[in-house]
Amino acid sequence: MRTDVYTSPGGGGGWRDNAARYALLPLRIFLGVTFVYAGLDKLTDSAFMKDAGAGSVGDMMRAVRDSSAVPALVDLALKSPAGFGYAIALGELAVGIGTLLGLLTRLAALGGALISLSLWLTVSWAADPYYYGNDLAYLMAWLPLVLAGAPLLSLDAVLRSRRRGPAGGGYR
Protein backbone atom coordinates (compact mmCIF):
# COMPACT_ATOMS: atom_id res chain seq x y z
CA MET A 1 0.00 0.00 0.00
CA ARG A 2 1.40 3.38 -0.99
CA THR A 3 1.43 6.02 1.68
CA ASP A 4 3.34 8.70 -0.20
CA VAL A 5 1.39 11.47 -1.89
CA TYR A 6 2.59 13.46 -4.85
CA THR A 7 2.86 17.13 -4.06
CA SER A 8 3.45 19.73 -6.67
CA PRO A 9 6.63 21.80 -6.53
CA GLY A 10 4.54 24.82 -5.52
CA GLY A 11 3.54 23.06 -2.31
CA GLY A 12 -0.19 23.11 -3.11
CA GLY A 13 -0.63 19.39 -2.58
CA GLY A 14 -1.48 16.72 -5.09
CA TRP A 15 -4.87 15.96 -6.52
CA ARG A 16 -5.46 13.35 -3.83
CA ASP A 17 -4.82 15.92 -1.12
CA ASN A 18 -7.22 18.34 -2.76
CA ALA A 19 -9.83 15.63 -3.34
CA ALA A 20 -9.66 14.63 0.33
CA ARG A 21 -9.79 18.26 1.46
CA TYR A 22 -12.90 19.00 -0.61
CA ALA A 23 -14.59 15.60 -0.22
CA LEU A 24 -17.44 16.83 1.97
CA LEU A 25 -18.26 19.87 -0.17
CA PRO A 26 -20.59 18.05 -2.63
CA LEU A 27 -22.43 16.45 0.30
CA ARG A 28 -22.74 19.82 2.03
CA ILE A 29 -24.12 21.46 -1.13
CA PHE A 30 -26.56 18.62 -1.80
CA LEU A 31 -27.92 18.51 1.76
CA GLY A 32 -28.04 22.30 2.06
CA VAL A 33 -29.93 22.80 -1.20
CA THR A 34 -32.25 19.88 -0.47
CA PHE A 35 -33.17 21.12 3.00
CA VAL A 36 -33.65 24.73 1.85
CA TYR A 37 -35.90 23.45 -0.94
CA ALA A 38 -37.83 21.16 1.44
CA GLY A 39 -38.39 23.99 3.92
CA LEU A 40 -39.51 26.46 1.24
CA ASP A 41 -41.71 23.83 -0.39
CA LYS A 42 -43.56 23.25 2.88
CA LEU A 43 -43.84 26.96 3.71
CA THR A 44 -45.32 27.79 0.30
CA ASP A 45 -47.74 24.84 0.16
CA SER A 46 -51.00 26.10 1.66
CA ALA A 47 -52.40 22.55 1.91
CA PHE A 48 -49.43 21.22 3.89
CA MET A 49 -49.76 23.63 6.83
CA LYS A 50 -53.32 22.59 7.68
CA ASP A 51 -54.58 20.36 10.46
CA ALA A 52 -56.66 18.30 8.02
CA GLY A 53 -57.35 17.87 4.33
CA ALA A 54 -55.61 16.43 1.31
CA GLY A 55 -51.86 16.97 1.48
CA SER A 56 -51.96 18.34 5.03
CA VAL A 57 -49.37 17.59 7.68
CA GLY A 58 -52.21 16.57 10.02
CA ASP A 59 -53.54 13.90 7.66
CA MET A 60 -50.02 12.67 6.92
CA MET A 61 -49.26 12.26 10.64
CA ARG A 62 -52.58 10.50 11.31
CA ALA A 63 -51.86 8.12 8.39
CA VAL A 64 -48.46 7.06 9.80
CA ARG A 65 -49.33 7.07 13.50
CA ASP A 66 -49.97 3.36 13.92
CA SER A 67 -47.04 2.25 11.75
CA SER A 68 -44.42 4.56 13.27
CA ALA A 69 -41.68 3.39 15.61
CA VAL A 70 -42.56 6.07 18.15
CA PRO A 71 -46.34 6.74 18.10
CA ALA A 72 -45.94 9.12 21.05
CA LEU A 73 -43.86 11.40 18.84
CA VAL A 74 -46.66 11.45 16.27
CA ASP A 75 -49.20 12.11 19.05
CA LEU A 76 -47.10 15.09 20.14
CA ALA A 77 -47.10 16.44 16.57
CA LEU A 78 -50.86 15.91 16.32
CA LYS A 79 -51.48 18.25 19.26
CA SER A 80 -50.72 21.07 16.81
CA PRO A 81 -50.17 19.74 13.29
CA ALA A 82 -49.75 23.19 11.75
CA GLY A 83 -47.28 24.18 14.49
CA PHE A 84 -45.34 20.98 13.88
CA GLY A 85 -45.40 21.65 10.13
CA TYR A 86 -43.99 25.15 10.64
CA ALA A 87 -41.36 23.84 13.07
CA ILE A 88 -40.17 21.22 10.57
CA ALA A 89 -40.21 23.69 7.64
CA LEU A 90 -38.36 26.43 9.51
CA GLY A 91 -35.94 23.87 10.94
CA GLU A 92 -35.20 22.53 7.45
CA LEU A 93 -34.69 26.06 6.17
CA ALA A 94 -32.30 26.99 9.02
CA VAL A 95 -30.37 23.74 8.65
CA GLY A 96 -30.10 24.17 4.89
CA ILE A 97 -28.93 27.79 5.05
CA GLY A 98 -26.42 27.04 7.83
CA THR A 99 -25.06 24.10 5.85
CA LEU A 100 -24.74 26.02 2.59
CA LEU A 101 -23.04 28.97 4.25
CA GLY A 102 -20.94 26.74 6.45
CA LEU A 103 -22.09 28.68 9.51
CA LEU A 104 -22.25 26.65 12.72
CA THR A 105 -22.04 23.69 10.40
CA ARG A 106 -21.80 20.97 13.03
CA LEU A 107 -24.84 22.37 14.81
CA ALA A 108 -26.74 22.70 11.51
CA ALA A 109 -25.79 19.13 10.59
CA LEU A 110 -26.91 17.90 14.00
CA GLY A 111 -30.23 19.65 13.40
CA GLY A 112 -30.50 17.98 10.00
CA ALA A 113 -29.68 14.61 11.53
CA LEU A 114 -32.33 15.08 14.23
CA ILE A 115 -34.97 16.11 11.69
CA SER A 116 -34.08 13.09 9.56
CA LEU A 117 -34.13 10.81 12.61
CA SER A 118 -37.55 12.05 13.70
CA LEU A 119 -38.94 11.62 10.18
CA TRP A 120 -37.43 8.15 9.91
CA LEU A 121 -38.95 7.06 13.23
CA THR A 122 -42.36 8.40 12.24
CA VAL A 123 -43.10 8.95 8.55
CA SER A 124 -40.81 6.46 6.80
CA TRP A 125 -40.47 3.79 9.51
CA ALA A 126 -42.86 1.40 7.76
CA ALA A 127 -40.99 1.50 4.43
CA ASP A 128 -40.37 -2.08 3.36
CA PRO A 129 -37.65 -2.88 2.63
CA TYR A 130 -36.11 -0.31 4.96
CA TYR A 131 -33.89 1.22 2.27
CA TYR A 132 -36.94 2.55 0.42
CA GLY A 133 -37.32 5.12 3.20
CA ASN A 134 -35.06 8.04 2.33
CA ASP A 135 -34.98 9.58 5.82
CA LEU A 136 -32.53 6.93 7.07
CA ALA A 137 -30.17 7.72 4.18
CA TYR A 138 -30.40 11.44 4.98
CA LEU A 139 -29.63 10.70 8.62
CA MET A 140 -26.49 8.81 7.60
CA ALA A 141 -25.51 11.57 5.14
CA TRP A 142 -25.61 14.20 7.91
CA LEU A 143 -23.22 12.30 10.20
CA PRO A 144 -19.95 13.13 8.34
CA LEU A 145 -20.84 16.83 8.58
CA VAL A 146 -21.66 16.47 12.28
CA LEU A 147 -18.19 14.95 12.79
CA ALA A 148 -16.12 17.12 10.44
CA GLY A 149 -18.02 20.37 10.07
CA ALA A 150 -17.11 22.58 7.11
CA PRO A 151 -13.39 23.29 7.28
CA LEU A 152 -13.21 24.87 3.79
CA LEU A 153 -15.25 27.38 1.84
CA SER A 154 -17.34 28.23 4.88
CA LEU A 155 -18.06 31.04 7.28
CA ASP A 156 -16.86 28.72 10.05
CA ALA A 157 -13.40 28.67 8.41
CA VAL A 158 -13.40 32.47 8.03
CA LEU A 159 -14.35 32.96 11.68
CA ARG A 160 -11.77 30.40 12.79
CA SER A 161 -8.99 32.15 10.87
CA ARG A 162 -10.00 35.54 12.31
CA ARG A 163 -9.86 34.16 15.85
CA ARG A 164 -6.34 32.89 15.19
CA GLY A 165 -5.24 36.27 13.94
CA PRO A 166 -2.22 36.98 11.75
CA ALA A 167 0.09 34.78 13.84
CA GLY A 168 -2.20 31.75 13.44
CA GLY A 169 -1.25 31.18 9.85
CA GLY A 170 -4.75 30.36 8.54
CA TYR A 171 -6.55 27.04 8.27
CA ARG A 172 -4.62 23.82 8.65
Side-chain angles (χ1 to χ4, degrees), residues 109-131:
L110 179 61
L114 291 174
I115 289 170
S116 297
L117 176 64
S118 68
L119 293 174
W120 176 54
L121 292 174
T122 56
V123 177
S124 62
W125 180 257
D128 186 34
Y130 76 92
Y131 51 82

Side-chain angles (χ1 to χ4, degrees), residues 60-131:
M60 179 183 66
M61 296 309 287
R62 280 186 283 283
V64 301
R65 194 235 177 250
D66 293 334
S67 64
S68 74
V70 187
L73 192 57
V74 178
D75 290 339
L76 182 63
L78 284 170
K79 290 184 182 203
S80 176
F84 175 74
Y86 278 108
I88 289 292
L90 293 173
E92 287 173 336
L93 194 56
V95 162
I97 290 170
T99 302
L100 283 174
L101 295 176
L103 181 62
L104 302 173
T105 309
R106 284 189 171 110
L107 181 61
L110 179 61
L114 291 174
I115 289 170
S116 297
L117 176 64
S118 68
L119 293 174
W120 176 54
L121 292 174
T122 56
V123 177
S124 62
W125 180 257
D128 186 34
Y130 76 92
Y131 51 82

Side-chain angles (χ1 to χ4, degrees), residues 17-43:
D17 289 340
N18 283 330
R21 202 175 358 260
Y22 291 96
L24 291 179
L25 190 58
L27 183 62
R28 202 175 110 208
I29 292 168
F30 170 75
L31 290 171
V33 167
T34 300
F35 269 57
V36 165
Y37 181 82
L40 290 175
D41 190 43
K42 288 174 182 68
L43 289 171

